[in-house]
Amino acid sequence: MTKIELRLDHLQCRVQGDASGGSEPYLWPVLMWVTDQTIGTPTPVRANHPHTPRTVLAQNVTAGTGLAVPAAAGTVRTQLDAGDTLRKAIAVVSLLENDDTPDHVVVAAYNRYVEALPDAVAAHLLELASDDDEVVAAATAAVRDEASSAVHSAGSDEMTWWEKVKVGVGSLNLDDEIGAEFASTTTTKDLGLTFQQSITIGSQTVLTQDWRLSGALVVDHRIDLCAAQALAVNQAKVQRDQVLAQLRALQTQWAQASALEKPGIKLEIDEVREILAGAEAAVAAAEAALAACRVRHVRDIPTHVLDHVLEARFDLH
């Protein structure tokens, strides 16, 4: 039974040109996969992600700083069905800088990002698998553009009229996207992703952002004796996240409601909070059961020969 894990370990800032003097980086990692069971279906590319729209790794990061990436922000896993064969594991990681984008806008943009990205990859899957580097490069660029357009549109749609006015006059500084990098494999590979931005001054190009992210894209074909418990954790988290999304929607509705409408919405919010507490307890119980199973079935950590640092493209051929 194949397990796939995207594990991001360390973020190194080499050049940082933020006008404020420091940066507050955060990551949007998405793990995607294509298998024999998914090919030919309406959703050939499946995806998983940490469900954390904005986990800032550190404050006021300057050039020369190295940051450990916590598992909650940089580790994504999935497990294939028994008998299913992996065709390609794909990792996409966006590096962003926290500024003043309101939380509800970030959540809306992130939710659209994790929906649009697999759709964009699926739409260009044949081109991404081409033996022609130019075809692959064009398809990669198309995926970037389509996902980016969807994110910006979702963020703009979520903004209130007043927030848009503040952006227009420069009093609301939105979060910046430093870059998005891609990697793919059918076996375990080391990750070395580079995120750069530059400006042209006269005839010279000057780097304003230069970051290095390391980790691994791990493919483990051994049987997991705790597969049922791991699945239960994932299912509990999905249910928890659905309730959390419902609560956030109600809170936004309450903020925009009239005085007469607010008491009714408040009752709904209180009910959903109770449901959320139960969902959180279910996640905790499932995680405890998984941890107990892991103790009973300790497995050696696999040793892999990491063949080369991935290029910053899909490399699907």
Side-chain angles (χ1 to χ4, degrees):
M1 189 175 295
T2 302
K3 294 177 64 177
I4 312 169
E5 178 180 85
L6 168 60
R7 185 176 64 244
L8 305 176
D9 300 324
H10 187 264
L11 179 64
Q12 180 73 31
C13 179
R14 298 189 285 193
V15 176
Q16 201 289 119
D18 191 278
S20 64
S23 179
E24 291 73 38
Y26 65 97
L27 302 170
W28 281 359
V30 178
L31 174 63
M32 294 178 284
W33 59 94
V34 181
T35 74
D36 283 350
Q37 288 186 9
T38 65
I39 288 178
T41 69
T43 54
V45 179
R46 308 293 166 84
N48 194 12
H49 55 97
H51 309 280
T52 50
R54 186 161 55 182
T55 301
V56 177
L57 302 183
Q59 302 290 328
N60 298 317
V61 177
T62 56
T65 302
L67 304 172
V69 180
T75 300
V76 194
R77 301 182 181 93
T78 194
Q79 182 169 287
L80 303 186
D81 294 335
D84 198 6
T85 301
L86 178 68
R87 290 292 188 94
K88 189 67 65 174
I90 306 167
V92 180
V93 184
S94 290
L95 175 61
L96 303 99
E97 181 181 3
N98 179 44
D99 285 313
D100 302 321
T101 301
D103 287 341
H104 70 102
V105 177
V106 174
V107 170
Y110 179 75
N111 289 342
R112 187 68 188 101
Y113 173 77
V114 297
E115 291 174 354
L117 194 55
D119 290 344
V121 172
H124 298 279
L125 203 54
L126 291 178
E127 301 99 299
L128 293 168
S130 172
D131 291 329
D132 188 328
D133 287 346
E134 291 186 1
V135 172
V136 173
T140 302
V143 170
R144 290 176 189 269
D145 290 344
E146 290 169 18
S148 178
S149 176
V151 168
H152 291 158
S153 177
S156 177
D157 291 344
E158 178 67 18
M159 275 188 169
T160 65
W161 172 83
W162 180 238
E163 287 167 343
K164 291 179 180 179
V165 170
K166 291 171 70 176
V167 171
V169 300
S171 64
L172 181 61
N173 182 24
L174 298 179
D175 294 8
D176 297 319
E177 181 183 358
I178 298 173
E181 297 302 324
F182 308 81
S184 68
T185 188
T186 54
T187 60
T188 295
K189 284 192 174 183
D190 197 17
L191 288 180
L193 305 178
T194 299
F195 304 85
Q196 293 181 335
Q197 286 185 344
S198 62
I199 60 173
T200 300
I201 302 176
S203 60
Q204 293 186 332
T205 299
V206 179
L207 279 177
T208 57
Q209 299 279 2
D210 188 2
W211 301 73
R212 174 82 171 195
L213 180 62
S214 62
L217 187 51
V218 179
V219 178
D220 184 355
H221 295 288
R222 294 178 302 167
I223 296 175
D224 185 359
L225 298 178
C226 300
Q229 289 82 357
L231 179 60
V233 169
N234 289 337
Q235 290 174 336
K237 287 182 176 179
V238 168
Q239 292 175 358
R240 185 270 318 274
D241 292 339
Q242 289 174 344
V243 177
L244 187 57
Q246 183 182 0
L247 176 60
R248 287 169 174 161
L250 284 171
Q251 289 171 331
T252 300
Q253 185 179 350
W254 183 89
Q256 299 173 350
S258 67
L260 291 176
E261 295 171 324
K262 285 188 174 183
I265 298 173
K266 179 64 165 57
L267 288 176
E268 291 186 64
I269 289 175
D270 291 341
E271 291 176 359
V272 173
R273 279 178 173 160
E274 291 182 7
I275 297 172
L276 179 60
E280 292 283 9
V283 171
E287 288 178 335
L290 176 59
C293 182
R294 295 290 188 219
V295 171
R296 294 195 303 270
H297 303 290
V298 177
R299 301 192 307 163
D300 294 333
I301 298 174
T303 300
H304 301 281
V305 178
L306 304 175
D307 47 11
H308 67 276
V309 174
L310 292 175
E311 299 178 14
R313 64 180 178 86
F314 277 107
D315 197 4
L316 286 173
H317 56 282

